[in-house]
Amino acid sequence: MTAPKKTPDRHYDFRSMNKWFAWSSLALLLITVWMVFEDYAKPWKRLQAEFRELERQKLAREAESERQRLNAEEIARVQAEIDAERARLDEQEAELEELRDRLADLDDKVYEADVESRTTKSHLDTERYEYDAALQSGNESRIAAAARAVEERRATYIENRRTLEAYTVERAAVQAEIDRKLAGLREDEGRLAELRGDLESLETR
């Protein structure tokens, strides 16, 4: 006696449905891949890519041109500052040279005034000695003449000392001015060195 045929739980064949689902999914995948490649291979997309590349190159050239223009302007500005700084240094060096000449002249004047003052002081000491001798002699005319000589020499000595002091003060002022200008000159030379470094950096960009 044969066993009765088992009635399926569904009204369709599930295995056959799985096969159709697999084949349709594969077909859908292939169609999707084909659509992607077909869309990518369109001629207008290649032209669009070429246009974008040309646009990028154009922008790069414009950016490089602008950079070079700005760099040239910066170089010109720094060069102008260097020229101005160099002119200022030349002017200061010329002023320093004049001050050094003036200082040398004042050194000579101070030396001459000091020698003159010392000589006058020596003569004044001699005439004071002669005045003392005249006092001891009791000769009125000799005393009067010696007194006049002492007073005249004293006046000359005072004038010599004033001249020496004036030249000494003036020399000190000139020396102070030289020191001040030398300090400013060193600062300007440092600034000039910095500007030349900036110019070298700009030229090697």
Side-chain angles (χ1 to χ4, degrees):
M1 185 174 178
T2 61
K5 188 176 180 180
K6 187 177 180 181
T7 304
D9 296 335
R10 300 178 182 86
H11 296 292
Y12 50 84
D13 188 352
F14 192 70
R15 286 176 299 175
S16 175
M17 184 177 179
N18 286 342
K19 289 178 182 180
W20 280 107
F21 180 77
W23 281 109
S24 62
S25 297
L26 180 61
L28 181 61
L29 176 62
L30 292 174
I31 291 171
T32 302
V33 172
W34 174 80
M35 289 176 63
V36 170
F37 277 100
E38 182 67 18
D39 184 67
Y40 182 79
K42 287 181 179 180
W44 66 268
K45 290 210 169 185
R46 180 177 57 82
L47 294 174
Q48 188 181 56
E50 292 177 355
F51 174 78
R52 282 198 297 266
E53 178 62 20
L54 290 173
E55 188 69 15
R56 185 192 65 79
Q57 292 176 3
K58 177 185 176 183
L59 291 174
R61 287 194 301 270
E62 290 177 352
E64 178 63 18
S65 176
E66 181 67 11
R67 187 191 67 80
Q68 291 179 357
R69 184 185 67 79
L70 292 174
N71 194 53
E73 289 179 355
E74 187 70 9
I75 288 175
R77 182 189 65 78
V78 173
Q79 185 62 58
E81 289 185 12
I82 288 175
D83 294 340
E85 198 69 35
R86 184 67 263 176
R88 185 159 50 250
L89 282 172
D90 291 341
E91 182 179 350
Q92 289 180 352
E93 287 171 355
E95 291 175 357
L96 272 172
E97 191 62 28
E98 291 179 1
L99 285 171
R100 290 190 180 106
D101 291 341
R102 186 178 170 192
L103 182 65
D105 182 59
L106 286 169
D107 284 339
D108 293 340
K109 288 182 177 180
V110 166
Y111 175 77
E112 292 171 0
D114 185 58
V115 170
E116 185 71 18
S117 176
R118 291 175 185 274
T119 302
T120 302
K121 179 65 167 59
S122 176
H123 290 163
L124 178 60
D125 291 342
T126 300
E127 288 167 352
R128 280 173 175 169
Y129 175 79
E130 292 177 355
Y131 176 70
D132 289 340
L135 287 175
Q136 292 176 7
S137 69
N139 188 321
E140 294 296 331
S141 60
R142 182 182 174 187
I143 293 172
R148 284 194 302 273
V150 169
E151 289 302 319
E152 291 174 359
R153 190 70 67 179
R154 182 186 294 112
T156 302
Y157 176 70
I158 291 172
E159 185 63 28
N160 288 343
R161 295 300 299 176
R162 287 174 178 171
T163 301
L164 175 61
E165 183 179 358
Y167 283 147
T168 302
V169 170
E170 186 177 358
R171 182 180 63 177
V174 171
Q175 183 63 62
E177 181 68 11
I178 289 175
D179 294 341
R180 187 185 67 80
K181 284 192 175 294
L182 281 174
L185 189 66
R186 284 191 291 269
E187 291 180 1
D188 289 342
E189 286 174 344
R191 171 63 177 160
L192 182 60
E194 291 179 1
L195 287 171
R196 284 174 173 166
D198 293 342
L199 180 62
E200 183 178 352
S201 176
L202 288 169
E203 290 176 340
T204 55
R205 279 185 183 176

